[in-house]
């Protein structure tokens, strides 16, 4: 056992006004299965890079271990998997590789002798995790491994991680975290905390703490308002005294000897007193404002769902999709009616995204009949958000969005002041996905088509998105591997 000791950590990116870490001190036991949680853009991946020594920071991070970051890059994906593994870990025995792959429910005789680029994204993830834990003496830093895993794959990987020694894991899948972690490191709005327990334990404690802090915040806000009022009154007194001094007419009968001097002295005293009161109130306000902490944004999001002329929204009949000689989908049927929220579920490579593309009128080679009204207005969120660049305002104009509503939705998904002025290329992967989701929510539509929308989205934002869907109950067809999201949102699940 050893510890990772972080003391008074200070870090911000060059040419950025955002302070990522401010005087952070924590102690991490390397035997922990530590889940790392926090809103998008709060610094989770940055913290892992700091541990890896990739970024410069002030004060200290001390440890006596070597770190290994996941996912790492495969230099030549055209090579056989076995050759890639032997290049990364030259002295490894084949039986050791086979043992790890069997724990990950992979057929080692199949995958080892295929080129890496022919594997599905989920299979590649499992291979790289096996490599990660085959490296002796390395402490794993695992950054969002679930993004390309289906529900069964997530369960397999969670059980695999649970059987291993310590690691730090960034993930936004609640059920996945509950299966494999025993401590939570959380980056909150104003501090960082570590608690013992899985994600559900952390969330329950956070909700209890939020309820208490919300009550305290209401009291503090009222006290701050009272202090602001007292400060304004003190200034008004001083202004009146100054006005009396300036307004004296030396030719009037009340202009007695010394009156102007006395009034000037009185005004000066009042100004000094008002300044002293104002300074004291400012200090009190600063202290009390500092106590307003860790209540995450949970504002109501608004969805502009449209009612179609017909309850029957769309249908797919006897759909088959082939890529070359490979049969992806066979004789698939789907009818979607108004108000339904249909989750399409299946293993990686089973054709889910192909069906979504057909619904969205993309020209995918297929057999069968697609019945989608030409007047049907769709709101689509795809898997890829890496293409985003330019300003949020330009994005709103390009997509014909109400900019005020679009910005309001982003604000409620934890975007704040300076982020609205950034180029989208500077956003984290999770923030980019939030742009697409906010754009979809801000668009009035008959049906919302979402293809794995929650990849990289933080847990608290996922809960907010669930809540808005359950409140407004739009018609949806979606693909999502977050089981908690599917169980809460879907009215029907279609398995491939």
């Amino acid at each position: 056992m050893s510890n990772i000791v972080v003391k008074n950590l200070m870090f911000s990116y060059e040419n950025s006004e955002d302070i990522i870490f401010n005087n952070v001190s924590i102690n991490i036991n390397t035997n922990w299965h530590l889940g790392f949680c926090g809103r998008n853009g709060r610094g989770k991946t940055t913290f892992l890079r700091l541990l890896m020594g990739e970024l410069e920071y002030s004060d200290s991070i001390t440890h006596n271990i070597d770190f290994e970051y996941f996912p790492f890059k495969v230099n030549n994906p055209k090579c056989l998997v076995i050759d890639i593994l032997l290049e990364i870990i030259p002295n490894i025995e084949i039986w050791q590789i086979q043992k790890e792959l069997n724990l990950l429910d992979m057929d080692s005789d199949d995958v080892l002798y295929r080129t890496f680029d022919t594997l599905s994204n989920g299979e590649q993830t499992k291979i790289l995790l096996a490599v990660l834990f085959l490296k002796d003496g390395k402490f794993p830093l695992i950054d969002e491994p679930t993004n390309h895993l289906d529900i069964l794959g997530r369960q397999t990987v969670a059980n695999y991680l649970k059987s291993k020694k310590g690691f730090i894991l960034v993930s936004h899948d609640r059920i996945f975290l509950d299966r494999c972690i025993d401590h939570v490191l959380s980056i909150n709005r104003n501090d960082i905390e570590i608690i013992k327990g899985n994600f559900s334990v952390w969330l329950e404690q956070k909700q209890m703490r939020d309820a208490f802090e919300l009550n305290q915040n209401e009291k503090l806000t009222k006290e701050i308002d009272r202090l602001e009022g007292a400060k304004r009154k003190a200034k008004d007194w001083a202004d009146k005294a100054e006005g009396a001094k300036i307004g004296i007419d030396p030719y009037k009968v009340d202009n007695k000897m010394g009156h102007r001097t006395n009034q000037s002295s009185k005004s000066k005293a009042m100004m000094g007193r008002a300044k002293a009161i104002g300074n004291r109130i400012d200090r009190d306000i600063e202290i009390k404002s500092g106590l307003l902490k860790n209540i995450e944004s949970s504002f109501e999001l608004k969805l502009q769902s449209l009612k179609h002329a017909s309850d029957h929204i769309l249908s797919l009949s006897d759909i088959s999709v082939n890529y070359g000689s490979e049969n992806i989908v066979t004789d698939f049927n789907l009818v979607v009616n108004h108000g339904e929220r249909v989750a399409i579920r299946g293993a990686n490579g089973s054709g889910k995204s192909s069906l979504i593309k057909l619904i969205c009128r993309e020209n995918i080679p297929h057999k069968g009949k697609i019945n989608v009204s030409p007047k049907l207005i769709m709101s689509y969120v795809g898997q890829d958000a890496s293409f985003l660049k330019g300003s949020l305002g330009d994005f709103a104009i390009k997509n014909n969005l109400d900019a005020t509503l679009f910005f309001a939705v982003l604000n409620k998904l934890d975007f704040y002041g300076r982020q609205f002025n950034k180029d989208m290329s500077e956003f984290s992967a999770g923030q980019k996905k939030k742009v697409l989701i906010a754009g979809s929510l801000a668009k009035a539509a008959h049906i919302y088509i979402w293809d794995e929308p929650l990849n990289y989205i933080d847990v608290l934002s996922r809960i907010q998105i669930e809540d808005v869907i359950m409140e407004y109950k739009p018609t949806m067809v979606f693909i999502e591997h977050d089981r908690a999201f599917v169980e809460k949102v879907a009215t029907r699940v279609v398995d491939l």
Side-chain angles (χ1 to χ4, degrees), residues 112-143:
L112 286 176
Y113 300 98
R114 290 167 56 188
T115 61
F116 188 81
D117 62 346
T118 65
L119 302 179
S120 70
N121 288 330
E123 289 172 326
Q124 291 179 0
T125 294
K126 290 180 179 180
I127 289 290
L128 296 180
L129 279 172
V131 173
L132 182 69
F133 285 98
L134 283 167
K135 289 189 172 185
D136 286 336
K138 300 284 190 177
F139 183 78
L141 307 175
I142 308 171
D143 198 356

Side-chain angles (χ1 to χ4, degrees), residues 167-192:
F167 54 76
I168 297 177
L169 166 68
V170 176
S171 177
H172 302 304
D173 187 311
R174 290 152 280 183
I175 293 176
F176 181 81
L177 288 169
D178 275 348
R179 284 182 179 273
C180 63
I181 66 171
D182 53 34
H183 285 75
V184 174
L185 171 61
S186 172
I187 301 182
N188 302 321
R189 188 158 68 93
N190 279 340
D191 63 18
I192 292 180

